[in-house]
Amino acid sequence: MSDTQIRPVTAITIGDPAGVGPEIVVDTVQSEMIYEVCKPFVIGAREHLEEAAAVKGVTLKFNEISEPEEAKYEFGTVDLLDTGAAPGAKIVYGEVQKDAALRAYSYLEKSIELGLAGRLDAVSTAPIHKVALKEAGVDHIGHTEIFEALTNSPYALTMFNVHKLRVFFLTRHVSVRKACDQITKERTLAYLKDIDREMRTYGFENPSIAVAALNPHGGDGGLFGTEEIEHLIPAVEEAKAMGINARGPLPGDSIFAFALDGHHDCILSLYHDQGHIACKTLDFEKAVTITMGLPFMRSSVDHGTAFDIAGKGIANGGSMVESTRVAAYYAGLKMAHQQKLAASA
């Protein structure tokens, strides 16, 4: 796959304003590279970006807009769309606050509204706070659940992207014990079908999907566990019979190294830490979370609101820069693939 010259329209949400979101967004809009790979505009309140810029020791030039079509998309000018949520709220750094969550949620709602209308191609999201969302009465626990529900998508696949690694997750925010119970043939096969479908929309013609094993040495023929024999191997074999280029299950202690060397297009990790540890050890700052299955591309940094350092000007925006770059990259891949299909029709 090669980089595309398409510049997707990309919204950047500032996240919970009591956290480091505004600061890392300030770093992002100061990256000239971002303006070369996409057409970025920010969704958030000006006051939060001005405060973040002040603690960072920089000055921003704003172009306040009400629609993406009013944006200039020029490096040196921040195109800013404010939802006007929680008017008059006084947000304090580093604290769980209902008004902060209401603003953060409104930024996501606006990005989804624009995405469903086809007026943006990608969204890069700064961190939100789960407890604050609950206090604000939001029924969804996090970004992925919000985007899946509000876009009425049939599924939302989480994929980590870091350098050449692309890692999907069969289970995520459950205990390891519960994750083991959820590793079934049916669930694995369903994920393999969804991953194959999504990867093809980005131009991967026959994506190789490597399935990680659960047990040491892939279970060693049942000596160290039977999940591979009872669930994973049957799922892979059935996927192959359907024309899916599934491989494995392959031992978890080597599968990531082989994917990094180009043996696989992506990996299906079985539980949260199996994939997270590999990706974050490779490059913590460039580990980006992507949500596939939505009508548009969505990415996020892989860290939280960092209340303990919010407002101190020391938050590193490298992850947000990478999140925005990756969102634009995959949105560009999909757009290029769609153009190719249209041209050949």
Side-chain angles (χ1 to χ4, degrees):
M1 308 298 294
S2 60
D3 288 327
T4 174
Q5 297 303 308
I6 297 173
R7 292 175 64 210
V9 175
T10 304
I12 303 172
T13 62
I14 70 170
D16 190 311
V20 297
E23 293 171 66
I24 61 178
V25 169
V26 166
D27 288 342
T28 302
V29 296
Q30 290 188 101
S31 169
E32 190 168 2
M33 176 273 292
I34 289 300
Y35 286 80
E36 293 172 355
V37 301
C38 69
K39 297 177 179 178
F41 69 96
V42 178
I43 303 180
R46 179 167 177 165
E47 64 189 88
H48 301 312
L49 288 177
E50 287 181 330
E51 290 173 359
V55 299
K56 285 277 187 177
V58 300
T59 301
L60 299 178
K61 176 184 176 182
F62 292 96
N63 172 39
E64 297 189 41
I65 62 176
S66 57
E67 310 291 344
E69 293 77 12
E70 299 170 358
K72 296 180 179 179
Y73 301 125
E74 297 174 352
F75 177 66
T77 298
V78 180
D79 296 301
L80 179 64
L81 194 162
D82 188 356
T83 61
K90 301 299 181 182
I91 307 300
V92 179
Y93 283 123
E95 296 182 9
V96 172
Q97 295 152 89
K98 176 181 177 180
D99 284 342
L102 288 173
R103 288 188 176 183
Y105 187 65
S106 76
Y107 306 150
L108 300 178
E109 286 183 311
K110 174 56 71 171
S111 74
I112 292 168
E113 172 194 325
L114 295 172
L116 290 175
R119 297 168 69 191
L120 58 76
D121 306 302
V123 182
S124 176
T125 59
I128 54 178
H129 199 283
K130 292 179 174 59
V131 175
L133 285 177
K134 184 176 181 180
E135 289 197 4
V138 176
D139 292 331
H140 311 292
I141 195 170
H143 274 123
T144 302
E145 294 79 8
I146 291 169
F147 276 87
E148 181 179 4
L150 298 191
T151 60
N152 292 312
S153 296
Y155 58 82
L157 295 177
T158 294
M159 186 188 88
F160 260 34
N161 186 98
V162 53
H163 297 294
K164 295 180 181 179
L165 278 185
R166 302 180 185 91
V167 181
F168 291 91
F169 294 86
L170 185 65
T171 68
R172 292 180 63 236
H173 294 144
V174 296
S175 70
V176 175
R177 187 179 299 278
K178 286 185 179 179
C180 290
D181 293 335
Q182 292 180 9
I183 299 170
T184 63
K185 173 192 171 183
E186 294 73 22
R187 186 183 182 93
T188 305
L189 180 60
Y191 267 72
L192 287 172
K193 291 193 290 187
D194 290 343
I195 292 168
D196 180 71
R197 183 185 305 111
E198 288 302 315
M199 293 292 285
R200 289 177 186 273
T201 67
Y202 292 92
F204 292 85
E205 295 182 1
N206 187 33
S208 63
I209 310 168
V211 179
L214 175 65
N215 297 300
H217 308 293
D220 248 355
L223 289 175
F224 306 133
T226 59
E227 285 83 1
E228 286 77 14
I229 295 172
E230 296 173 357
H231 299 286
L232 298 178
I233 292 174
V236 169
E237 292 303 315
E238 188 166 336
K240 287 180 178 178
M242 300 171 65
I244 296 172
N245 188 10
R247 305 178 183 183
L250 303 174
D253 60 0
S254 59
I255 189 172
F256 299 98
F258 280 110
L260 196 58
D261 284 341
H263 286 69
H264 318 295
D265 290 316
C266 60
I267 293 171
L268 177 57
S269 172
L270 300 184
Y271 57 94
H272 184 280
D273 283 8
Q274 185 179 54
H276 279 237
I277 291 171
C279 292
K280 292 181 179 179
T281 300
L282 177 62
D283 193 329
F284 190 87
E285 284 191 4
K286 292 197 174 181
V288 172
T289 300
I290 289 175
T291 306
M292 290 187 176
L294 307 176
F296 47 86
M297 171 49 57
R298 178 256 162 179
S299 69
S300 180
V301 297
D302 190 45
H303 64 72
T305 50
F307 277 177
D308 57 324
I309 63 171
K312 298 180 180 179
I314 59 176
N316 188 327
S319 292
M320 195 68 193
V321 172
E322 183 69 1
S323 170
T324 307
R325 184 196 70 79
V326 169
Y329 174 72
Y330 281 98
L333 283 183
K334 178 174 279 191
M335 294 165 72
H337 183 60
Q338 291 171 340
Q339 291 177 3
K340 180 181 178 180
L341 292 177
S344 62

